[in-house]
Amino acid sequence: MSYRVELAVLAEKKHFCRFGLTLHNLSDQDLTDWHLQFIIDRFIQPDSFTHGAIKQTGSFCCLTPDRTVLPANQHYYCEFSINTAPLRFYTDGLKDALIIADGGATQHTVTLTPIMLASPYREKSELPSVEPAALAVIPMPNRIELLDGKFHLTTSSQITLQASLAEHAATWLQQEIERLYQFRAQTVGQSDIIYRNNPTLDEGEYQISITGSGVRLEAGSRSGFVHASATLLQLIDHDEDLSTLTLPYVKICDKPRFKYRGMMLDCARHFHSIDMVKRLINQLAHYKFNTFHWHLTDDEGWRLEIKAFPQLTECGAYRGANHPLEPQFSSLAHTYGGYYTQQEVIEVIEYAKQRGINIIPEIDIPGHCRAALKSLPDLLVDPQDSSQYRSIQHYNDNVLSPALPGTYQFLDKVLEEVADLFPSPWIHIGADEVPDGVWLESPACQQLMQQHGYRCAKDLQGHLLRYAEKKLRSLGKRMVGWEEAQHGNKVSKDTVIYSWLSEEAALNCAKQGFDVVLQPGQSTYLDMTQDYRPEEPGVDWAAVIPLENAYRYEPLAQVPDNDPIRKRILGIQCALWSEIVTHQSRLDYMIFPRLTALAEACWTEKSQRNWLDYLARLKGHLPLLDKQKIEYRPPWK
Ligand code: ACM
C-alpha cells in the first residue's frame, strides 16, 4: 500500500457538508508533477476548494494540487464543500482514486479508507422472527386452499399439453425443474402434469389443482399458463436424493391485481452482461412480473447497437482515460463498457417471451444524452449554444437540441431500428431531468421558440417529444415516458406516463387523461439502501427502503375504490439504477428480497396482503434462492 486517501466529513448541516481529503504518500519516492483523479457522486462546489483546483465531470473529479511535488512519507491535504444532504453511507464516499504522476507518464493505484462520516444513521430495523410457512408462495395467490395429502412426481412423470397457449409455460417449467432439481420429466409416460385450456379465465388468470390424480394447470392466456408454472415451481419440495419431487394437494384460483407489473434495469451506468439480464428476466417470471424495462442509454453509456450509427457503440459504449467519455462511478484505471448487439437483443427478447415477459426498450431523450452527443458531435452538438446548465448528475453537455436538423435525423434512424428490433408495442423515450438553463443561449433554439410562440424550455422539450411521438406512431408504436414527458403540454394523451417522483404526480397525470405506471422512488427504487447501517450499499435521496417499507407500499391508498381515476393506473414498476451496481452480487443484494415484496404489491389484492404472513412465506422461500446462488440481503441478520 504505497498511496492512501482518506475523506472525512468535517462539518455538516441540512444542505451542506465540508470535507477534508488527505492523500498519503507512503512510498519511498517523491511524487512529482502529479494530480489525483477520484470518483464521488456529489457535486463539489469549485470555489470551496483549498490547496489546488478541482474539475468535475459527472462523478469524475480531477484534483490539481497547489504544489507539484509530494515528498515520500508526506501527505497532501485539501478541503471542499458540497451543498447537498449529508452523507450517511460508506458508498456515498470515494468510489475509486488514481494518481497520475510525472506529467502523465505514470499512474499509481490508491487505497481508499472508508469515509469518516459525521453522523451515520443510528436507527436499525429488525425483523420479527417467524417460522417458515408450509406454503411459501410469493406473490400470495388470491385464493389458495391447502388440502390433506401429497402428490409425487417421479422419473416416469410426463408433462401433457392440452392447450397450445401453454407451450412456452410448459417448456419453461420443464427447464426450471431440471435446472433446480436436475429432474427431467418424460416425453412419454404418466400424464402427471396437465396444462388445460380454460377460456373462461382472463389474461394472466390461472387455476391449479393438485390431487391424487395429478397436477392440473388451467388458463385462457399464455401469460396465465406462465404464472401457473411459476406457482407450481414454488410448491415443489424434494427428497434428499432428488428422485421424487413432492407437491402438496392444493386448489388455487389466482389472477393479477394490476395489468402492468414491471422492473426497470439501468444497463447504462454499469453494463450488465446478457447472461445477467437473462438471469434477472428469469427471476421476474418467477414472481409473475410481465414487463422488463430495459434502460439502454444514458449520459454514461450507449448500450444498443444501431446500425445506422456505429459510432454510438464504438465510442458511446466505453468510458476511460483515452475516451471521449471520462471514467464514471468506478474503474478509473481501465477502460470500462460494453453493449448489446442486435442479434443478442433478439435472443433476449425471445428468452423473455418464453417467460411471458415483454421488453420495453428505453432510449432516453432529450436529457441524459451525453454518450450520444460525444459519439455523434457533428450531428448532435449545437456549436452556437453557449447555455450554462448543470444536470442532476453534474454534466453541462448532455441534452439534445430541438433546433438541430441532426437531432431529427438521429431520432428517425434510432427509433426506426428500435421499433424494428423490439416487438413491444410501447417504446420508452425517457424525457426525465432536462436541466434548467438548457437552450437559453442557443440562437437556433431561440428562433424555434419565436417561430412557434413558445415561452420556455419546457415548450421546446414538448416540441421534440411530440415529434418522437408522431414518429413512433408512424412506426406502429405507442410512446411512453417518464412523468416529465408531458411538460410543455405537447404530447397526446396516448402517451403513457411513468411517474417516479411522487404518487401525486401520477394522480395529476391520470386526472389529465394519461394512462400511468407507478414507479415511486420512495418505495420502488432498489438502488436505495435497505437499512440504516453505514455499511449498507446504496443511496438514500428518495428514502431508505427496508424490506418492510417495500412490502408496505400500497398504491392509491388515498383514492376511493370507486374513483374512475383508478382505471388510468395500469400498474407498478420497480427500478434498479446502477450507479453503484458494478457486479452480479451487488445486483442480487439490491434486488433480493425486496423484489419479492414489490411483486406482491403488483399481484396480490390488498385484502390478501399481510406483512407477517409474507415474512413467513419469505422464510420458507429463501432455500429456493439459496439453491440458485442468488446473493440476496439476508433479511434476518
Ligand atoms: C428517474 O429516476 N430519473 C426516472
Side-chain angles (χ1 to χ4, degrees):
M1 184 180 27
S2 299
Y3 306 95
R4 186 160 58 80
V5 70
E6 285 166 3
L7 187 65
V9 179
L10 306 176
E12 66 181 26
K13 288 191 261 179
K14 198 166 174 205
H15 295 293
F16 174 83
C17 285
R18 183 104 186 129
F19 297 92
L21 181 149
T22 312
L23 173 67
H24 298 271
N25 180 357
L26 304 170
S27 76
D28 53 9
Q29 303 280 317
D30 293 354
L31 269 181
T32 53
D33 202 4
W34 67 279
H35 64 267
L36 180 72
Q37 298 179 347
F38 63 88
I39 303 270
I40 192 165
D41 292 348
R42 307 295 184 95
F43 182 69
I44 296 173
Q45 295 298 319
D47 54 3
S48 71
F49 205 82
T50 65
H51 302 98
I54 189 103
K55 182 169 183 314
Q56 180 167 6
T57 310
S59 63
F60 175 70
C61 297
C62 194
L63 180 171
T64 308
D66 56 0
R67 50 201 164 114
T68 54
V69 179
L70 175 53
N73 284 309
Q74 301 263 328
H75 68 267
Y76 160 85
Y77 178 77
C78 64
E79 292 187 8
F80 55 84
S81 308
I82 61 166
N83 287 351
T84 45
L87 282 62
R88 308 282 204 189
F89 300 96
Y90 294 136
T91 51
D92 286 333
L94 302 187
K95 311 278 198 296
D96 198 6
L98 185 71
I99 293 167
I100 311 291
D102 305 321
T106 47
Q107 61 182 48
H108 304 283
T109 53
V110 181
T111 303
L112 301 177
T113 306
I115 183 169
M116 284 154 68
L117 296 163
S119 54
Y121 284 113
R122 306 268 173 238
E123 304 152 71
K124 192 161 166 265
S125 58
E126 261 182 46
L127 295 183
S129 62
V130 288
E131 289 302 313
L135 283 182
V137 181
I138 303 176
M140 180 67 180
N142 283 295
R143 261 179 51 209
I144 182 163
E145 192 186 345
L146 181 62
L147 308 168
D148 257 357
K150 292 201 186 300
F151 185 80
H152 301 287
L153 294 174
T154 66
T155 45
S156 60
S157 292
Q158 183 197 325
I159 298 175
T160 302
L161 283 189
Q162 293 174 1
S164 59
L165 289 175
E167 213 173 299
H168 286 152
T171 309
W172 183 54
L173 178 77
Q174 169 129 7
Q175 285 168 354
E176 289 298 89
I177 291 182
E178 201 171 339
R179 180 175 72 89
L180 294 165
Y181 304 105
Q182 297 77 52
F183 185 97
R184 200 171 164 76
Q186 302 304 304
T187 41
V188 183
Q190 178 91 21
S191 289
D192 284 339
I193 300 179
I194 300 179
Y195 284 87
R196 225 184 240 163
N197 196 30
N198 181 342
T200 66
L201 301 181
D202 286 340
E203 180 71 40
E205 191 172 1
Y206 72 92
Q207 295 181 352
I208 296 180
S209 146
I210 306 178
T211 63
S213 49
V215 181
R216 304 286 171 268
L217 305 137
E218 293 188 11
S221 58
R222 277 182 215 284
S223 61
F225 283 117
V226 173
H227 304 325
S229 293
T231 298
L232 194 65
L233 284 164
Q234 295 186 6
L235 291 172
I236 292 174
D237 205 351
H238 60 88
D239 60 11
E240 279 304 302
D241 69 358
L242 293 173
S243 64
T244 318
L245 299 183
T246 308
L247 289 157
Y249 289 178
V250 280
K251 287 217 176 308
I252 296 176
C253 297
D254 201 10
K255 61 179 185 186
R257 178 180 184 191
F258 286 104
K259 196 157 83 182
Y260 182 109
R261 304 176 302 281
M263 156 115 204
M264 188 217 77
L265 180 67
D266 165 15
C267 293
R269 273 51 180 277
H270 282 103
F271 176 69
H272 311 304
S273 69
I274 285 286
D275 285 346
M276 290 169 79
V277 170
K278 283 185 176 168
R279 185 174 181 271
L280 177 59
I281 288 172
N282 196 41
Q283 289 306 317
L284 292 179
H286 277 273
Y287 301 107
K288 303 189 176 74
F289 286 86
N290 61 4
T291 307
F292 175 63
H293 169 169
W294 205 351
H295 186 78
L296 287 162
T297 71
D298 215 304
D299 293 321
E300 300 85 358
W302 183 283
R303 305 280 174 227
L304 177 66
E305 177 189 23
I306 298 291
K307 295 197 194 284
F309 299 119
Q311 305 93 312
L312 284 170
T313 42
E314 282 162 11
C315 167
Y318 297 96
R319 318 190 276 257
N322 301 316
H323 292 263
L325 291 175
E326 303 81 355
Q328 298 290 345
F329 308 126
S330 56
S331 195
L332 282 164
H334 307 285
T335 295
Y336 177 88
Y339 68 93
Y340 310 109
T341 65
Q342 293 198 359
Q343 188 51 44
E344 285 172 326
V345 169
I346 289 168
E347 283 162 27
V348 175
I349 291 169
E350 183 54 32
Y351 181 90
K353 184 176 162 199
Q354 287 171 6
R355 287 154 180 76
I357 297 205
N358 176 44
I359 299 189
I360 299 178
E362 181 187 349
I363 303 295
D364 199 351
I365 62 154
H368 290 284
C369 268
R370 191 164 189 266
L373 284 147
K374 292 285 172 194
S375 305
L376 298 167
D378 295 343
L379 200 63
L380 300 180
V381 175
D382 176 357
Q384 312 297 326
D385 185 357
S386 56
S387 308
Q388 298 292 315
Y389 61 88
R390 178 158 58 82
S391 74
I392 189 82
Q393 272 109 14
H394 332 309
Y395 300 109
N396 58 10
D397 52 0
N398 74 336
V399 188
L400 293 179
S401 168
L404 281 189
T407 298
Y408 297 90
Q409 290 164 24
F410 164 79
L411 273 185
D412 281 355
K413 291 278 183 239
V414 170
L415 295 182
E416 281 162 19
E417 286 194 33
V418 168
D420 209 28
L421 189 57
F422 288 88
S424 167
W426 293 7
I427 306 285
H428 202 297
I429 46 72
D432 55 328
E433 300 181 317
V434 172
D436 287 345
V438 73
W439 303 319
L440 294 177
E441 303 299 326
S442 154
C445 286
Q446 292 308 312
Q447 197 188 348
L448 187 65
M449 286 179 77
Q450 273 169 16
Q451 200 180 328
H452 292 274
Y454 295 156
R455 281 177 305 188
C456 64
K458 285 197 169 79
D459 287 331
L460 284 175
Q461 172 170 346
H463 180 91
L464 188 61
L465 293 176
R466 183 172 52 196
Y467 180 89
E469 183 184 35
K470 285 193 179 140
K471 178 73 193 173
L472 284 170
R473 195 176 291 138
S474 78
L475 296 166
K477 303 290 185 182
R478 186 173 180 188
M479 182 168 90
V480 310
W482 301 117
E483 66 193 59
E484 297 96 321
Q486 37 90 38
H487 284 178
N489 203 17
K490 306 262 179 302
V491 301
S492 81
K493 298 291 183 289
D494 203 32
T495 291
V496 181
I497 298 296
Y498 285 53
S499 66
W500 61 280
L501 285 162
S502 65
E503 189 162 294
E504 197 189 342
L507 295 177
N508 279 337
C509 290
K511 276 187 201 135
Q512 288 176 52
F514 289 103
D515 284 342
V516 174
V517 172
L518 303 169
Q519 188 189 284
Q522 302 81 355
S523 303
T524 66
Y525 272 21
L526 300 175
D527 54 323
M528 299 297 134
T529 54
Q530 310 191 51
D531 209 338
Y532 301 89
R533 294 175 319 125
E535 295 81 14
E536 283 295 337
V539 291
D540 67 339
W541 62 262
V544 174
I545 310 182
L547 182 63
E548 180 166 358
N549 296 28
Y551 187 80
R552 290 194 189 278
Y553 170 47
E554 177 49 45
L556 312 177
Q558 310 304 325
V559 180
D561 284 347
N562 59 357
D563 192 324
I565 212 173
R566 282 182 173 269
K567 287 213 172 57
R568 294 251 166 243
I569 308 296
L570 304 182
I572 300 175
Q573 178 161 283
C574 44
L576 183 64
W577 298 101
S578 289
E579 285 90 339
I580 59 139
V581 182
T582 44
H583 48 278
Q584 180 73 61
S585 62
R586 177 63 68 74
L587 185 133
D588 281 2
Y589 188 92
M590 301 312 287
I591 293 181
F592 295 98
R594 289 185 297 185
L595 183 77
T596 69
L598 289 160
E600 204 144 304
C602 291
W603 180 273
T604 308
E605 289 300 332
K606 196 168 149 186
S607 58
Q608 298 300 104
R609 295 178 63 202
N610 177 294
W611 164 236
L612 289 179
D613 178 67
Y614 159 77
L615 274 187
R617 281 178 288 118
L618 179 63
K619 195 156 206 174
H621 180 71
L622 291 178
L624 195 56
L625 295 184
D626 291 327
K627 207 171 192 16
Q628 299 172 81
K629 301 199 171 26
I630 292 176
E631 295 181 63
Y632 56 86
R633 179 182 189 278
W636 292 271
K637 289 218 173 188

